[in-house]
Amino acid sequence: MYKEKNLVVKPKYIQNYRDKYPLISKESIIDFNKIEQGDIINLIDNRGKFIAKGYAGVQNKGSGWTLSYNKNEEINKNFFRNKIQQAIEHRENFYKDTQTTTAFRVFNGEGDGVGGLTIDYFDGFYLVTWYSLGIYKFRDNIIEVLKEIVDYKGIYQKRRFDAKGQYLESQNDFICGKEADAPIIVKENGVNFAIYLDDGAMVGIFLDQRDVRKTIHDKYSNNKTMLNTFSYTGAFSVFSSLGGAKSTTSVDLANRSRAKTTEQFRVNNIDLENQNIIVEDVFNYFKYAVRKKLQFDLVVVDPPSFARSKKHIFSASKDYVKLLKDVIAITSNNGVIVASTNSANFDIKVFKDFIAKAFKELNIKYKIEENFSLPKDFKVNDNFKEGNYLKVLFVRKIV
Ligand code: SAH
């Protein structure tokens, strides 16, 4: 049993919690500083009436998550077992598919009832990510439950505790089972992907873009020239190439991106001849492309929410319009821009406004052809709209 503490919610925040908003903020609570990371807290009103039960865990956003609206529910191993079991049932179809897609999210934080915790599946290996020291206090229970209810090859973890949600460098992210090869090869809709479970914060792929990659492959690549900006390991380029793209160009400023992207092409036996990999700041590349009068039929734009390079600070909420204008300038007539953002600071309506503004300022017409948000395995909590962060629009430039 974990110790429980009562905390009084300030009046103006009470309705939020009654409406089941899951994220606990320290501003909303009297005496938040009297509790410790990982404490179970009962949120009560100033008359002592129970509102919700949660845990304290300071993350980049928020200071904890609610777990239950039943005063008598105990937060113990059984509680976590039920949550994880339900989450696995929700992914039944992913588990059944052992051939074409072997990488997916098993547990998506507050969407599955426990904020601050995610579990991903990579061909029999499980990767548990802890987003605060608070949730990490429940580690033993959660790992035990996982070991009891799933067949696993091995279990790995990432600890992303600090205030900015940064990865905590550790010697070893391996927990138990068999150690994974570096890399292991997983499949996504039949395409291979090299995954490194113990090589820093990121494993090589962002699983939430699966449906977008498939659509690029199936409907938008054949015979096209493709540009992938902020390309990371080149996942979009690989799908585009396999979908029949004449050429792909992947641009990312991280040095590692060249070897990583080459590897992803290689594990799919793609001839590298028409795949260009450019290590550069995309904002410089745009200038180069304009100078050389380059035009692309398909351009993917998937920037981080915030990034600082030597010359630029990019913030999606402030600079997306300008970024789009640069992209529109090097997109062919009737070409398609895949505009993506994972910023939780603005919603799809604002994102559509950014697109409208960019085209309007250039006096060019456009048509939105596809609209994506998170896939089914990234389950969202209906009371936490920010959790539905992914927004992807396929926009055709019409001339
Ligand atoms: N689109 C990728 C994920 C992008 S992650 C995918 O689907 O896998 C963000 C990437 O943007 C990182 O690899 C980072 O190195 C890169 N990046 C950030 N700022 C950049 C800039 N100014 N120019 C080029 N790449 C940048």
Side-chain angles (χ1 to χ4, degrees):
M1 252 292 278
Y2 299 96
K3 52 185 171 171
E4 295 196 6
K5 291 182 179 166
N6 289 342
L7 282 184
V8 178
V9 176
K10 294 177 190 167
K12 75 168 181 178
Y13 295 96
I14 288 175
Q15 197 54 44
N16 272 353
Y17 291 121
R18 286 213 205 285
D19 292 340
K20 302 196 172 169
Y21 185 72
L23 185 64
I24 299 173
S25 64
K26 58 174 180 287
E27 306 78 55
S28 68
I29 283 164
I30 298 169
D31 287 342
F32 188 85
N33 54 7
K34 292 205 177 137
I35 56 171
E36 286 166 31
Q37 296 278 306
D39 280 352
I40 296 293
I41 49 192
N42 286 312
L43 302 180
I44 56 174
D45 68 14
N46 43 12
R47 297 199 193 109
K49 194 160 174 250
F50 173 83
I51 305 170
K53 193 184 290 267
Y55 76 90
V58 177
Q59 279 182 224
N60 51 341
K61 272 201 186 130
S63 308
W65 294 93
T66 62
L67 295 171
S68 175
Y69 296 92
N70 172 358
K71 186 161 101 176
N72 301 318
E73 179 155 28
E74 281 181 25
I75 307 305
N76 52 23
K77 192 170 158 187
N78 211 28
F79 171 87
F80 290 111
R81 186 195 315 277
N82 289 336
K83 294 291 177 201
I84 294 175
Q85 195 76 57
Q86 277 171 20
I88 288 172
E89 281 161 24
H90 181 78
R91 280 79 177 175
E92 202 187 339
N93 289 336
F94 286 93
Y95 276 102
K96 273 192 199 145
D97 173 2
T98 54
Q99 299 298 314
T100 55
T101 297
T102 58
F104 55 90
R105 177 150 293 187
V106 174
F107 197 94
N108 194 38
E110 72 286 352
D112 284 293
V114 183
L117 169 72
T118 64
I119 307 175
D120 293 324
Y121 177 93
F122 295 101
D123 190 32
F125 289 93
Y126 284 78
L127 175 64
V128 182
T129 303
W130 316 98
Y131 284 89
S132 70
L133 194 56
I135 189 68
Y136 194 67
K137 296 255 164 97
F138 303 100
R139 178 188 188 271
D140 290 353
N141 273 182
I142 292 169
I143 297 297
E144 274 172 38
V145 163
L146 199 55
K147 285 162 85 169
E148 286 165 20
I149 64 180
V150 300
D151 288 327
Y152 60 91
K153 291 178 182 166
I155 303 179
Y156 282 76
Q157 68 177 357
K158 302 285 174 204
R159 292 175 293 171
R160 311 189 77 145
F161 295 169
D162 84 353
K164 287 193 187 127
Q166 295 285 325
Y167 171 74
L168 214 71
E169 289 298 334
S170 63
Q171 290 289 314
N172 193 334
D173 289 337
F174 175 68
I175 298 180
C176 63
K178 164 172 131 40
E179 284 195 45
D181 291 341
I184 54 169
I185 305 295
V186 302
K187 281 202 186 289
E188 183 186 281
N189 289 308
V191 175
N192 291 332
F193 230 86
I195 298 291
Y196 293 80
L197 290 174
D198 200 359
D199 184 25
M202 301 200 289
V203 299
I205 194 169
F206 291 98
L207 296 173
D208 54 2
Q209 298 274 18
R210 179 188 312 112
D211 298 343
V212 178
R213 286 188 283 265
K214 179 165 170 32
T215 304
I216 285 177
H217 171 279
D218 293 355
K219 292 169 69 179
Y220 291 89
S221 293
N222 198 25
N223 240 351
K224 305 291 189 216
T225 54
M226 186 266 193
L227 172 65
N228 185 5
T229 60
F230 306 95
S231 56
Y232 180 46
T233 58
F236 288 121
S237 313
V238 169
F239 275 75
S240 190
S241 173
L242 292 171
K246 271 192 276 194
S247 69
T248 67
T249 302
S250 306
V251 185
D252 195 294
L253 63 70
N255 278 323
R256 58 160 196 250
S257 69
R258 182 184 302 281
K260 292 278 182 195
T261 304
T262 304
E263 176 177 39
Q264 302 304 358
F265 282 122
R266 286 229 167 93
V267 297
N268 287 289
N269 299 315
I270 296 170
D271 186 348
L272 286 167
E273 183 165 319
N274 295 316
Q275 324 308 333
N276 309 302
I277 302 169
I278 297 174
V279 176
E280 199 184 2
D281 191 318
V282 296
F283 297 98
N284 290 340
Y285 182 77
F286 291 142
K287 288 186 199 139
Y288 165 84
V290 167
R291 234 178 17 246
K292 296 277 176 189
K293 299 196 166 50
L294 300 182
Q295 295 267 292
F296 297 91
D297 304 325
L298 175 66
V299 185
V300 177
V301 196
D302 180 32
S305 303
F306 187 84
R308 195 189 295 269
S309 65
K310 274 182 206 141
K311 283 200 194 138
H312 297 100
I313 292 181
F314 175 83
S315 140
S317 53
K318 290 202 193 99
D319 304 320
Y320 213 106
V321 173
K322 186 183 169 300
L323 172 62
L324 277 170
K325 286 169 77 177
D326 286 340
V327 169
I328 294 166
I330 57 169
T331 303
S332 326
N333 294 343
N334 297 313
V336 169
I337 297 166
V338 179
S340 168
T341 180
N342 59 8
S343 176
N345 294 332
F346 54 87
D347 63 11
I348 182 70
K349 207 172 150 287
V350 171
F351 192 42
K352 284 185 176 168
D353 287 346
F354 288 168
I355 288 166
K357 189 158 191 264
F359 278 93
K360 185 156 191 256
E361 288 180 12
L362 295 172
N363 205 11
I364 294 173
K365 291 202 181 65
Y366 70 96
K367 182 170 170 265
I368 293 180
E369 306 227 329
E370 315 266 354
N371 185 341
F372 288 88
S373 55
L374 287 173
K376 188 176 180 226
D377 51 328
F378 282 67
K379 193 165 185 249
V380 287
N381 179 327
D382 290 338
N383 301 309
F384 190 65
K385 299 285 177 230
E386 312 90 295
N388 197 1
Y389 56 86
L390 185 69
K391 298 168 274 291
V392 185
L393 296 168
F394 285 52
V395 189
R396 191 176 295 279
K397 172 174 169 179
I398 296 179
V399 182

